[in-house]
Amino acid sequence: MNNNAITLKQKLKIHSSLRTIDWKNNAVVMIDQTKLPNRLVFVKYKDYKDVANAIRTLVVRGAPAIGVSGAFGLALAALQSKAKTKEKLLADLEQARRILFETRPTAVNLAWGLGKIMDVAKKGKDIWAIKKSIIQTAKKMAEDDVQTNMKMGKHGAKLFENNDTIMTHCNAGALATVGYGTALGVIRATKESGKKIKVIATETRPVMQGSRLTAFELKHDDIDVSLIPDTAVGYAMSKGLVTKVIVGADRILRTGHVYNKIGTYQIALMAQQHKIPFYVAAPLSTFDLKSNPEDVIIEQRKASEVTTVAGKKTAPDDIGVINPAFDMTPPNLVTGIITETGIAKPPYPESIKKLFKSRL
Ligand code: MRU
């Protein structure tokens, strides 16, 4: 066994303490992220429709986490199915796939996770073999997610220096994945490499993933983090308080267009104005090599997320609301995209193609 393997194993053990999703005794166990940071509550589901509801209501969120949740959802659907033939089981799975897929339209990892399980199911020779291989594949996807993030962290850490102050938006951490995180994984790996860093986290209105989740996670890991309102991004950058930005992604096109939490685009624009490098960290499962920008559906969420704060009304009745969950950052604003196989730099059509080739 080489030293690398030992280190990776040890690190996996440490970071498994904050596991967002797990499979235990034929049930899916998740941290209920709507309760954070006030309470650490675990929920257990045995019905795939409950998993679909958990994805829709943000009990579980973050692109890689919902990809694995979708896979576990199909594993539950397989166990729930009373089908006596392979054809009927595949039909039951297809119905579950559709229900799970319709929960959130922008993060491409969901379609990726569901597609992977459906492929495995179609290859199975009988219903018992299909059920067994679906569960095994979904569990393996959860394990792989943590390892992928740690590899991404190793690549990304090279881009950050001692005394950097790194701005991040939303939550692209352990809670947005199965463990360790993408953008926060790179931050964790930078700290683990011995560099002294600070983090500035945006609150991320209206659902507050930055204050509720990113701040919670980084404090849990003893990383120096300051919280700012989303409206203070320009102030922080203009005062020289930020040296680099890193965010996660819900979908990245072959052209390098990045879809991420609403507000990412304006942060990227301000970073360019202040000549601050703007990085994106995402696994290859977040890339959508087929779609063009006009094909991507931006999820629109309910008005009450904007018209209330902590359950209290903060806007007049019947006000019109525009509440997109994501926006698109064009490739000219992105300094680099960190993945598990390496870092893509502009021009993206070529460098992204190379990343996928190097995986083979
Ligand atoms: O609406 P959310 O909380 O699911 O949005 C999450 C994000 O936008 C994350 O930045 C993205 O999924 C990357 S997570 C590693």
Side-chain angles (χ1 to χ4, degrees), residues 33 58 60-66 104 107 109 149 169-173 175-177 181-183 207 209 213 247-251 259-262 264 281-283 286 299 301 325-326:
Q33 300 193 32
L58 309 184
V60 63
R61 31 66 52 199
I66 63 178
R104 299 200 72 190
N109 305 60
N149 294 337
H169 184 57
C170 192
N171 173 266
L175 289 163
T177 60
T182 57
V207 182
Q209 289 94 333
L213 310 176
V247 296
D250 287 83
R251 191 186 291 233
Y259 293 80
N260 191 46
K261 179 52 56 193
I262 192 74
T264 303
T286 299
E299 176 185 357
R301 294 193 60 86
F326 303 100

